[in-house]
Amino acid sequence: MNNEAEYEALLADLGLARAVRAKNLKVYGDSILVVAQVNGVFEAKDDTMDKYLRVVKGILTQFNEWYVEHIPREVNTKADALSQFPSSEIENYTRSIYLQVLKTPTIHVISLIVPVGVTSYWIDPIKTHIETGWLSDDAQEARKLSVRALRYSLIEGILYKRSFIIPCAKCIRPLEVEEALKESHKGIFGQHLGAGP
């Protein structure tokens, strides 16, 4: 379980590096196993570790140069401070800290295959960016997507637009509109007067 958390942290870091369009990357990690697997010293024999490794290797191919080095946990003070954060008093922090809560392991969320017959829709790039950190090669489009995605959250695989006034709004495709209208018309207190069957 700890190695899965280490891979999740590595994937989050790689996503940030891609978001700022880094070309060369030096990564420091305190997990001997993860560093050794990424560097090809150890094989990933466990199915879960193999899936994580394949996703990480796929992302690393997008950098011109990359280097992953092991550092002892006691030297990795920033990671140690962040690992203590969930059990700390949040009100003690005066600076902005952004948290991402993963409901599902990244390797279960990432899908490189689009089902046949599903057409692309405006929510797809936003969802893909949140899931994998993907950005367009066009710098202007990548920046627009990064900024736009900040207004959205992915909860159990469903994209929601955040709002300060109303609850999060579920983002749906055109084919889902009719079903959503039926659900909203029924309301929480039953079917409205004059509604159809």
Side-chain angles (χ1 to χ4, degrees):
M1 188 65 171
N2 188 41
N3 290 321
E4 290 180 34
E6 295 286 347
Y7 265 115
E8 288 290 353
L10 176 56
L11 286 169
D13 289 343
L14 293 177
L16 287 172
R18 289 168 59 199
V20 297
R21 306 185 68 72
K23 296 294 180 191
N24 302 312
L25 191 64
K26 189 178 269 190
V27 178
Y28 298 99
D30 56 27
S31 168
I32 295 172
L33 178 71
V34 172
V35 170
Q37 285 178 349
V38 172
N39 286 325
V41 177
F42 293 169
E43 282 185 35
K45 294 182 179 178
D46 177 73
D47 186 48
T48 302
M49 293 298 105
D50 184 54
K51 287 178 183 175
Y52 273 113
L53 181 60
R54 281 188 279 131
V55 171
V56 166
K57 288 283 195 174
I59 294 171
L60 287 173
T61 61
Q62 299 173 25
F63 296 95
N64 293 340
E65 292 182 22
W66 57 269
Y67 178 74
V68 180
E69 181 182 333
H70 176 260
I71 59 171
R73 187 157 287 161
E74 58 273 6
V75 176
N76 199 356
T77 54
K78 288 181 182 177
D80 185 53
L82 285 173
S83 72
Q84 304 301 319
F85 180 74
S87 60
S88 304
E89 296 292 327
I90 292 177
E91 53 271 3
N92 292 339
Y93 290 89
T94 56
R95 301 167 98 185
S96 295
I97 297 176
Y98 298 95
L99 298 175
Q100 179 182 10
V101 178
L102 299 177
K103 302 279 187 186
T104 307
T106 304
I107 57 170
H108 298 314
V109 173
I110 293 175
S111 175
L112 302 177
I113 301 170
V114 177
V116 176
V118 176
T119 57
S120 183
Y121 195 53
W122 67 268
I123 65 175
D124 295 332
I126 297 169
K127 189 174 178 184
T128 302
H129 173 70
I130 293 171
E131 288 175 340
T132 67
W134 172 86
L135 287 170
S136 169
D137 291 332
D138 180 332
Q140 188 174 5
E141 289 298 317
R143 185 179 182 288
K144 285 193 323 193
L145 177 60
S146 295
V147 171
R148 189 175 187 197
L150 293 173
R151 298 189 303 255
Y152 295 85
S153 294
L154 198 62
I155 302 169
E156 296 182 4
I158 300 170
L159 191 67
Y160 292 88
K161 184 172 184 181
R162 293 192 302 266
S163 171
F164 294 109
I165 301 167
I166 59 171
C168 292
K170 182 178 178 181
C171 302
I172 59 175
R173 298 174 183 281
L175 296 174
E176 300 169 312
V177 170
E178 188 176 339
E179 186 62 33
L181 286 172
K182 285 179 186 176
E183 285 179 18
S184 65
H185 192 73
K186 287 182 181 178
I188 59 171
F189 299 110
Q191 198 161 320
H192 294 237
L193 291 175

